[in-house]
């Protein structure tokens, strides 16, 4: 219980630190905070009946945000995914409130959020677990020259992909649980090495639906991957979770075989 409490405290402190140090979070915080200033100014010029309507709308919006954020908090497995969803919901709530106040203010907030989206991006999780950061050449070398590791599960991702950012914590956490002397985890950043994408059959076109891609190698040969090669990108692609990856690559079986000495 003490460890869980310490971990939760560390996550909150880390989030507060990122709010100040990361432009993506800082600009969002300042934008949302500016509503308080505008709201105080508006209360001096709006008609009394409009103020009453705005107060009711604020209460309704706050309750809706709390409920939706709570639901997202239960469903999402990572801080990155939860924060992305919470910010999106907060933007909708802010638009509704400012539209009630003055639609011109709502338009300005929309433009501000578009600028933030263009100029900044949400930072990914910095934890690596027991993963190794690999270049394409190093990965080829490890696979072809051979090491004590029989299996390599490799994540091909890119720092500019929102899907990769949302799931960036999953893979390192899996590596902590399932890494053994025969089973290793690696990460290749295709944002830095885009030319390697074609070699490993990862598509970078379209809406980045094939990122991240996970490939399991056994003695330099590809065994399986997720998503499957040639699979079409759709809006309803399954959310990447630790459970999904564990089942797809049979990580429990590999761990049990290692423990039993098979």
């Amino acid at each position: 219980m003490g460890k869980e409490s310490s971990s939760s405290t560390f996550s909150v402190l880390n989030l507060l630190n990122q709010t100040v140090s990361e432009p993506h979070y800082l600009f969002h915080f300042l934008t949302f905070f500016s509503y308080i200033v505008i709201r105080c100014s508006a209360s001096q010029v709006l008609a009394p009946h409009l103020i009453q309507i705005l107060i009711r709308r604020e209460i309704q919006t706050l309750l809706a945000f709390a409920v939706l954020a709570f639901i997202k908090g239960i469903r999402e497995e990572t801080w990155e995914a939860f924060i992305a969803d919470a910010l999106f919901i907060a933007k909708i709530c802010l638009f509704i409130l400012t539209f009630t106040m003055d639609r011109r203010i709502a338009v300005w907030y929309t433009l501000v959020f578009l600028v933030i989206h263009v100029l900044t991006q949400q930072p990914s999780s910095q934890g690596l677990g027991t993963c190794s950061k690999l270049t394409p050449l190093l990965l080829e070398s490890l696979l072809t020259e051979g090491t004590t590791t029989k299996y390599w599960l490799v994540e091909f991702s890119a720092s500019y992909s929102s899907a990769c950012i949302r799931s960036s914590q999953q893979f390192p956490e899996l590596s902590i649980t399932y890494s053994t002397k025969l089973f290793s985890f690696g990460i290749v950043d295709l944002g830095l090495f885009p030319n390697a994408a074609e070699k490993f059959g990862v598509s970078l076109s379209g809406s980045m639906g094939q990122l991240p891609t996970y490939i399991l190698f056994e003695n330099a040969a590809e065994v399986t991957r997720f998503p499957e090669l040639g699979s079409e990108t759709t809006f309803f692609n399954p959310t990447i979770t630790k459970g999904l990856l564990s089942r797809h690559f049979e990580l429990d079986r590999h761990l049990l075989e290692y423990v039993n000495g098979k």
Side-chain angles (χ1 to χ4, degrees):
M1 183 70 180
K3 289 183 177 179
E4 292 180 359
S5 177
S6 299
S7 176
S8 177
T9 302
F10 176 78
S11 296
V12 172
L13 291 176
N14 187 48
L15 178 60
L16 291 174
N17 178 60
Q18 286 189 333
T19 302
V20 177
S21 60
E22 291 290 347
H24 181 81
Y25 295 138
L26 178 60
F27 291 159
H28 274 91
F29 173 78
L30 293 175
T31 304
F32 288 123
F33 182 79
S34 69
Y35 174 77
I36 299 176
V37 179
I38 295 175
R39 175 67 172 83
C40 293
S41 300
S43 63
Q44 300 176 6
V45 297
L46 290 177
H49 74 281
L50 290 178
I51 293 178
Q52 292 299 320
I53 293 174
L54 183 58
I55 291 175
R56 287 198 299 270
R57 188 61 56 84
E58 286 174 337
I59 295 173
Q60 294 168 351
T61 304
L62 182 61
L63 290 175
F65 174 79
V67 171
L68 292 174
F70 178 76
I71 294 173
K72 288 296 183 179
I74 294 175
R75 291 182 176 179
E76 300 293 355
E77 291 189 356
T78 67
W79 271 106
E80 289 75 21
F82 170 71
I83 292 172
D85 290 337
L87 286 177
F88 179 73
I89 296 170
K91 291 173 186 176
I92 295 176
C93 292
L94 185 61
F95 179 83
I96 293 172
L97 292 177
T98 53
F99 191 84
T100 302
M101 189 186 306
D102 188 326
R103 62 186 62 185
R104 290 172 297 180
I105 299 177
V107 171
W108 275 110
Y109 270 110
T110 302
L111 293 175
V112 169
F113 284 127
L114 285 174
V115 171
I116 293 175
H117 177 73
V118 171
L119 297 181
T120 70
Q121 68 174 26
Q122 182 181 1
S124 59
S125 173
Q126 299 302 308
L128 281 177
T130 59
C131 296
S132 301
K133 281 210 167 186
L134 307 172
T135 65
L137 287 177
L138 179 57
L139 175 59
E140 286 186 56
S141 175
L142 291 171
L143 294 176
T144 56
E145 295 179 6
T147 62
T148 56
T149 296
K150 182 179 181 181
Y151 298 96
W152 274 97
L153 181 55
V154 182
E155 177 190 72
F156 295 88
S157 58
S159 58
Y160 52 77
S161 166
S162 60
C164 294
I165 293 172
R166 291 174 65 92
S167 61
S168 59
Q169 190 179 334
Q170 309 280 19
F171 200 64
E173 290 184 356
L174 277 179
S175 72
I176 295 174
T177 304
Y178 294 103
S179 285
T180 66
K181 292 181 179 179
L182 299 180
F183 203 108
S184 296
F185 291 73
I187 299 175
V188 175
D189 189 346
L190 293 181
L192 299 177
F193 308 100
N195 294 333
E198 183 178 357
K199 178 177 179 58
F200 291 100
V202 180
S203 174
L204 297 181
S205 61
S207 60
M208 299 300 173
Q210 281 200 327
L211 289 177
T213 289
Y214 303 88
I215 303 179
L216 177 62
F217 298 94
E218 180 182 2
N219 295 326
E222 179 179 331
V223 178
T224 184
R225 67 167 59 201
F226 181 86
E228 298 293 342
L229 191 64
S231 61
E232 293 185 1
T233 301
T234 68
F235 182 77
F236 300 101
N237 280 344
T239 302
I240 295 175
T241 64
K242 288 181 287 187
L244 184 149
L245 294 177
S246 177
R247 291 189 299 272
H248 185 85
F249 295 104
E250 300 182 307
L251 298 182
D252 288 319
R253 178 179 66 82
H254 286 291
L255 182 59
L256 286 174
E257 288 181 353
Y258 173 76
V259 172
N260 295 328
K262 293 185 179 180

